Amino acid sequence: MAAATPSVPLCLKATFKETPSLNNFDKLVQALKDALGPSSGLTSDDVDVEHLTRLMQDYQSDEVEWSRFAFGDASRGYTRNLVDEGNGKSNLLVLVWSPGKGSPIHDHGNAHCLMKILQGNLTETRYAFPDSTSSSSSSPSSEPEQMQVIAEKVYRENEVAYMADELGVHRVWNQDPDNFAVSLHLYTPPNVAKGGCHIFNPETGKKSHVPKCGYYSTYGKRLNE
């Protein structure tokens, strides 16, 4: 019997079929853009967050439809692949998570995030937001304080999660040691793309500013570094 091979997003393989236009993933991208079009993001009174969540829940993941955006790199924890900028009101990204790797603890730059699992499982660990005084990297005299875990959950294919800074900070990681995982993220407003975010030391709560969270690919094309 041949040895099992890891499940890898299609665009990581040598060959794959071109994705036809107007598939269900494309329709989801357009529906999210339309829902956010007249507004300034999820923080606006005229945006129905539950409606956006339902749009993402109703889409049934099909690798052939989103694979052209799923560029992975096993040397990194994950890659950020831009799908759509939502008329300047949001960022829609496909994130490809390397086997056994994940993100540092981070905030969302006062933006809101919806995450849908497209392939595999992802574990989210949420932490209480550190006290602003003790977490500041400019306050060396403050006592280090281990960050407090407030929740942990495994999200499986087609499940949707919502996160915002008022709920805390979090890290996301792929526990599978052999296979990539893939997720779809809607960020609005697109603050992180413009101004970066903060990452946190789990042992001390100290935060560091990451000034730019760049893209590994945009609109299905790999960027040159």
Side-chain angles (χ1 to χ4, degrees):
M1 179 181 296
T5 57
S7 174
V8 179
L10 285 183
C11 72
L12 300 179
K13 300 176 182 178
T15 60
F16 59 92
K17 295 180 179 179
E18 292 292 332
T19 305
S21 60
L22 299 178
N23 60 45
N24 287 332
F25 183 81
D26 297 328
K27 292 176 183 177
L28 170 62
V29 173
Q30 186 61 51
L32 293 170
K33 181 186 290 188
D34 291 345
L36 289 168
S39 76
S40 59
L42 284 176
T43 54
S44 296
D45 293 337
D46 59 341
V47 170
D48 186 343
V49 178
E50 292 184 358
H51 174 60
L52 293 174
T53 302
R54 284 195 299 271
L55 289 175
M56 296 188 82
Q57 289 174 332
D58 289 346
Y59 173 69
Q60 296 299 300
S61 180
D62 184 338
E63 186 177 5
V64 172
E65 296 178 346
W66 48 256
S67 64
R68 67 191 187 276
F69 301 108
F71 291 84
D73 185 338
S75 70
R76 304 178 181 218
Y78 63 99
T79 58
R80 291 163 43 88
N81 302 282
L82 179 66
V83 174
D84 188 72
E85 292 185 305
N87 298 319
K89 308 295 177 60
S90 64
N91 283 333
L92 187 66
L93 308 179
V94 166
L95 271 61
V96 180
W97 304 84
S98 297
K101 297 181 181 179
S103 73
I105 303 170
H106 61 279
D107 65 14
H108 291 86
N110 293 317
H112 298 247
C113 175
L114 285 167
M115 175 180 75
K116 180 183 179 71
I117 311 303
L118 297 177
Q119 178 177 287
N121 303 325
L122 288 172
T123 300
E124 179 200 35
T125 305
R126 294 190 180 188
Y127 300 81
F129 218 113
D131 176 77
S132 59
T133 301
S134 63
S135 67
S136 174
S137 58
S138 62
S139 302
S141 60
S142 60
E143 286 292 327
E145 186 173 328
Q146 188 171 19
M147 294 184 66
Q148 177 189 357
V149 175
I150 56 177
E152 185 166 272
K153 181 175 179 179
V154 177
Y155 290 92
R156 307 184 189 285
E157 188 170 307
N158 284 315
E159 292 186 330
V160 177
Y162 170 77
M163 186 59 176
D165 285 350
E166 58 262 31
L167 301 177
V169 293
H170 74 170
R171 71 180 295 248
V172 177
W173 56 296
N174 176 16
Q175 294 192 69
D176 192 321
D178 301 313
N179 300 308
F180 285 86
V182 184
S183 53
L184 179 68
H185 295 242
L186 175 68
Y187 299 99
T188 182
N191 296 342
V192 171
K194 296 178 179 180
C197 66
H198 292 93
I199 60 174
F200 297 82
N201 184 318
E203 300 301 322
T204 65
K206 298 291 185 182
K207 68 180 180 181
S208 303
H209 183 240
V210 179
K212 184 178 180 181
C213 299
Y215 302 128
Y216 193 78
S217 71
T218 58
Y219 307 108
K221 294 184 179 180
R222 175 78 168 89
L223 296 178
N224 295 323
E225 295 185 320

